[in-house]
Amino acid sequence: MKKIIIAFFVLIIIANIAFAQDIDSIAILKQQIVDINSRLDAQEKKINTLLEIRERDKIWGKGRYTNLAYGAGASAEQDGFKFNSDWSFSLSKGTSYLFPNKPFFNMLKVGFDIRWFDISATCYKNNTDYTGGSNWYPDYGYDDWYDDYWYEDDYEDIGHYDIHVGAFGIGPVVSVAPFSSFNNGLRFLRATLYFHYQPTIGLHLMDEDGEMELSSAYCNMMDFGGKIQWRGIALGVEGKWGSGKFSSLVDPDDFDYDYGYDYDYDSSSTKRKFSSTRLYISFTF
């Protein structure tokens, strides 16, 4: 009987020890489950953050763009005469730096835009408009004198050209994606406004005595515009204007009073003013 009682108590002790071990194991398992759930939650947050960033990048992109533009109504003014363009084309490339990473109100970003380069070429028609402010007589225009004096039968009028090479233009930019919270294609629609000051080297070419003559100047050029973008393509319009003081391509000794020209005119340099409206297609990436 005594042995049976001792064996019974031994079994109870062993059972208690085993039960205690089971409780410890369960506690350890519970803690491991908690740790695993915490890690899963953290990974899920990271995944959601990455998905959110990816979705924002689809809407806002990296800010890089390339513009191909046609200059509608491009013109230049010089010595009281306005030269109207026959055609004008340009190529530009830049980057928009927009802040913050998470847009204001989930739709608005602001920042600055750098126009890395802006190259344009313009050919002018062989007709001009008198705008005043010159020593020329209004009833005897620039083209009248130019045709009478310079262009003889054996010379071909190949026109006037301006080539502008701009670099490192900078200015503010504002962009809004009003439908970014939508769960359809409208969320990729975005509107942008911008302004640049563009340091530019201007080249003016004209035909003189059947040969091309070239003058150059530093030009202060500016532009203001906007575009509507969907995904990686955009359509935009911008106004561009500025001026530069070019070395003159004419010799005052070649003039005669019969052409209505005042000898007091300083022909060492002449100021050219430029303006144009650009219609462009933009590729963003």
Side-chain angles (χ1 to χ4, degrees), residues 146 150-151 155 158 206-213 248-251 254:
Y146 209 74
W150 291 108
Y151 290 107
Y155 297 139
I158 59 177
M206 60 181 281
D207 186 37
E208 182 177 320
D209 286 339
E211 297 180 358
M212 264 303 206
E213 297 288 340
S248 179
L249 295 180
V250 295
D251 187 345
D254 292 329

Side-chain angles (χ1 to χ4, degrees), residues 35-46:
D35 293 341
I36 290 172
N37 286 333
S38 298
R39 293 177 182 176
L40 289 175
D41 289 341
Q43 291 299 321
E44 185 177 3
K45 289 180 179 179
K46 288 182 179 179

Side-chain angles (χ1 to χ4, degrees), residues 65 92-97 112-118 165-172 194-200 218 221-223 240:
Y65 61 85
S92 59
K93 188 178 181 64
T95 305
S96 294
Y97 297 92
F112 61 95
D113 189 278
I114 297 180
R115 190 69 63 87
W116 299 114
F117 68 81
D118 189 314
V165 181
F168 303 109
I170 189 169
Y194 58 84
F195 170 84
H196 296 105
Y197 169 75
Q198 182 83 63
T200 301
Y218 174 83
M221 302 298 294
M222 287 160 281
D223 63 70
K240 194 172 184 70

Side-chain angles (χ1 to χ4, degrees), residues 45-162:
K45 289 180 179 179
K46 288 182 179 179
I47 291 172
N48 289 336
T49 300
L50 291 174
L51 290 175
E52 184 179 351
I53 293 173
R54 182 181 178 185
E55 188 65 23
R56 284 205 302 265
D57 286 345
K58 288 181 180 179
I59 297 172
W60 299 97
K62 301 299 183 182
R64 298 185 293 267
Y65 61 85
T66 300
N67 295 345
L68 299 174
Y70 169 72
S75 65
E77 292 186 25
Q78 175 182 335
D79 300 331
F81 290 91
K82 182 177 181 180
F83 300 82
N84 300 305
S85 67
D86 189 14
W87 52 259
S88 179
F89 297 97
S90 66
L91 170 67
S92 59
K93 188 178 181 64
T95 305
S96 294
Y97 297 92
L98 298 172
F99 306 96
N101 289 329
K102 187 173 183 179
F104 296 114
F105 314 112
N106 203 34
M107 67 171 65
L108 175 68
K109 287 191 175 188
V110 298
F112 61 95
D113 189 278
I114 297 180
R115 190 69 63 87
W116 299 114
F117 68 81
D118 189 314
I119 302 173
S120 65
T122 303
C123 174
Y124 298 98
K125 300 175 182 177
N126 291 323
N127 63 299
T128 60
D129 297 325
Y130 181 75
T131 62
S134 169
N135 291 321
W136 293 81
Y137 291 124
D139 57 351
Y140 196 84
Y142 182 92
D143 285 314
D144 296 326
W145 167 80
Y146 209 74
D147 290 337
D148 291 347
Y149 194 81
W150 291 108
Y151 290 107
E152 301 176 3
D153 294 338
D154 56 344
Y155 297 139
E156 181 182 359
D157 182 359
I158 59 177
H160 306 257
Y161 298 86
D162 277 314

